[in-house]
């Protein structure tokens, strides 16, 4: 609760950017940021702001919303405070928070046919150590020594079970572990190991003396590559509609977001939803583009550019 509308709005926007920063910096997920239309905003809110990431199949997920309530609810509930001028006043409210749907976003943005792909900053295991030919003398000892050294710096799992290396590779790929470290008798002879990235399966031979600097470098590279891939997907699956015919054609044939102009009338949103079987406005982005002068649905002058899409 806040004394003034300005304070409440400041917090509403600040929290929206907390979400966006967290999605980008920690989850490696890009998103469109903007304001919900009157039709899609939270009932009773004066304004709803949202971040809208795109899942890898082109479907939108409302990643997190931040609402400015004004004093509507405090008036309904009779919540007051004594202002600086000694009169009773109604505080201005905000409402924000993200939920477990964020976990869904991680799975649906980064996952592939082999299972999870977890961003390194939140992966419960960042590095899986897999000994090769572990029955040979010295291999397990070396793998355990590496585990002891590295686990002070990273979240590490050593799998010294009797399962085959191939089984273990598949297991930690499925769990989305960002990096795998393979070490066998020949590696030990050469004071090296092999690092394999989960996201692109790129292998690097690394000297054991370089591990504490090489692993953070690779984890960062995985994070950046995940973000870039998701951003590329977002760009690739965002289409621009200049006419309503074009809009309907994209909605029918191409998964993803549609960018178009909009007159501001809820009737046009309703018509789009009905004609496309479920496409809704995602948001009016903070950075609007000028696509044309008119709303493609009704032909009247356009007020805003809107992102549209199907949602989970
Ligand atoms: Zn219109």
């Amino acid at each position: 609760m806040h004394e003034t509308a300005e304070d409440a709005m400041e917090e509403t926007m600040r929290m929206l950017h907390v979400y966006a920063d967290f999605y980008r910096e920690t989850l490696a997920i890009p998103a469109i940021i903007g304001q919900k239309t009157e039709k899609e905003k939270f009932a009773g809110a004066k304004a709803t702001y949202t971040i809208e990431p795109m899942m890898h199949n082109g479907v939108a997920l409302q990643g997190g919303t931040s609402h400015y309530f004004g004093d509507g609810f405090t008036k309904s509930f009779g919540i007051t405070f004594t202002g600086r001028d000694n009169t009773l006043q109604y505080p201005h409210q905000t409402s924000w928070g993200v939920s477990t749907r964020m976990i869904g976003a991680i799975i649906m943005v980064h996952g592939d046919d082999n299972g999870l792909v977890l961003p390194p900053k939140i992966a419960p295991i960042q590095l899986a150590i897999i000994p090769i030919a572990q029955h040979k003398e010295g291999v397990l000892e070396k793998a355990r020594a590496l585990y002891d050294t590295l686990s002070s710096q990273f979240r590490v799992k050593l799998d010294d079970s009797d399962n085959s290396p191939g089984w273990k590779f598949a297991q930690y790929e499925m769990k989305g572990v960002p990096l795998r470290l393979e070490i066998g008798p020949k590696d030990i002879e050469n004071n090296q190991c092999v690092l394999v990235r989960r996201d692109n399966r790129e292998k690097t031979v690394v000297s054991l003396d370089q591990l504490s600097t090489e692993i953070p470098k690779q984890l960062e590279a995985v994070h950046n590559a995940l973000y870039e891939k998701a951003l590329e997907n977002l760009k690739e699956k965002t289409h621009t509609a200049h006419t309503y015919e074009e809009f309907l054609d994209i909605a029918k044939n191409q998964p993803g977001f549609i960018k178009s102009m909009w007159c501001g009338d809820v009737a046009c949103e309703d018509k789009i939803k009905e004609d496309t079987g479920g496409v809704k406005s995602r948001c009016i982005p903070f950075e609007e583009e000028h696509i044309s002068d008119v709303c493609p649905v009704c032909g009247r002058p356009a007020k805003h550019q809107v992102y549209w899409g199907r949602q989970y």
Side-chain angles (χ1 to χ4, degrees):
M1 302 224 195
H2 298 271
E3 257 183 78
T4 66
E6 290 73 30
D7 286 352
M9 187 53 99
E10 195 271 331
E11 181 177 79
T12 305
M13 298 309 274
R14 183 158 45 81
M15 288 315 300
L16 183 74
H17 286 98
V18 167
Y19 303 159
D21 292 349
F22 183 75
Y23 265 85
R24 186 181 62 244
E25 304 294 335
T26 306
L27 306 182
I29 297 176
I32 306 292
I33 308 172
Q35 183 171 3
K36 287 286 188 190
T37 60
E38 283 297 303
K39 178 180 161 71
E40 298 297 331
K41 78 176 186 187
F42 183 77
K46 286 247 191 283
T48 292
Y49 300 91
T50 183
I51 69 165
E52 301 278 333
M54 182 194 282
M55 306 302 100
H56 66 73
N57 61 357
V59 177
L61 182 81
Q62 189 174 285
T65 44
S66 187
H67 314 282
Y68 167 55
F69 280 174
D71 56 8
F73 289 102
T74 56
K75 277 183 175 156
S76 317
F77 288 96
I79 300 164
T80 55
F81 69 99
T82 305
R84 288 159 206 267
D85 60 357
N86 234 9
T87 63
L88 279 187
Q89 296 174 18
Y90 295 101
H92 291 254
Q93 288 179 303
T94 62
S95 170
W96 39 262
V98 286
S99 71
T100 45
R101 74 171 58 194
M102 215 175 233
I103 295 171
I106 296 164
I107 296 167
M108 292 189 285
V109 169
H110 298 310
D112 64 19
D113 289 346
N114 292 311
L116 286 175
V117 180
L118 294 178
K121 286 180 189 164
I122 54 120
I125 303 169
Q126 295 173 306
L127 175 78
I129 301 177
I130 315 288
I132 311 292
Q134 65 182 33
H135 58 279
K136 294 237 168 100
E137 206 193 327
V139 174
L140 268 185
E141 287 75 3
K142 192 71 195 175
R144 282 175 186 147
L146 280 177
Y147 172 82
D148 288 341
T149 315
L150 297 173
S151 56
S152 65
Q153 209 182 339
F154 313 100
R155 296 187 290 277
V156 188
K157 161 98 183 172
L158 164 64
D159 190 342
D160 54 3
S161 69
D162 289 333
N163 294 313
S164 72
W167 190 94
K168 292 176 189 176
F169 295 169
Q171 178 75 357
Y172 296 100
E173 274 189 13
M174 190 176 68
K175 287 174 182 260
V177 175
L179 279 183
R180 167 171 99 218
L181 186 159
E182 304 172 7
I183 185 148
K186 280 207 182 112
D187 298 311
I188 294 169
E189 252 172 53
N190 297 318
N191 192 44
Q192 66 186 35
C193 66
V194 180
L195 286 180
V196 186
R197 277 168 59 168
R198 169 64 180 90
D199 63 316
N200 61 8
R201 294 191 173 70
E202 198 177 280
K203 291 186 177 197
T204 322
V205 176
V206 181
S207 157
L208 295 183
D209 306 325
Q210 300 294 320
L211 274 180
S212 66
T213 52
E214 187 61 24
I215 292 170
K217 228 192 274 174
Q218 295 233 4
L219 290 175
E220 198 189 336
V222 171
H223 175 94
N224 292 337
L226 291 182
Y227 182 84
E228 286 305 321
K229 192 178 166 198
L231 186 62
E232 200 51 46
N233 187 56
L234 175 65
K235 285 181 183 163
E236 223 171 72
K237 293 194 174 82
T238 298
H239 309 280
T240 306
H242 301 84
T243 65
Y244 198 45
E245 198 184 5
E246 203 177 359
F247 193 111
L248 294 177
D249 182 63
I250 298 167
K252 191 175 168 201
N253 298 309
Q254 289 173 297
F257 291 166
I258 303 171
K259 286 194 288 197
S260 84
M261 302 310 281
W262 176 54
C263 60
D265 191 339
V266 68
C268 289
E269 283 183 272
D270 288 339
K271 183 164 168 53
I272 285 175
K273 192 181 168 193
E274 196 181 314
D275 291 347
T276 57
V279 170
K280 294 197 219 172
S281 66
R282 308 308 321 158
C283 68
I284 301 162
F286 288 153
E287 290 169 30
E288 290 184 48
E289 290 171 46
H290 181 82
I291 295 164
S292 72
D293 293 331
V294 295
C295 170
V297 186
C298 65
R300 286 176 293 174
K303 278 197 186 131
H304 289 291
Q305 183 237 308
V306 169
Y307 278 88
W308 310 82
R310 296 179 200 278
Q311 73 177 61
Y312 275 111

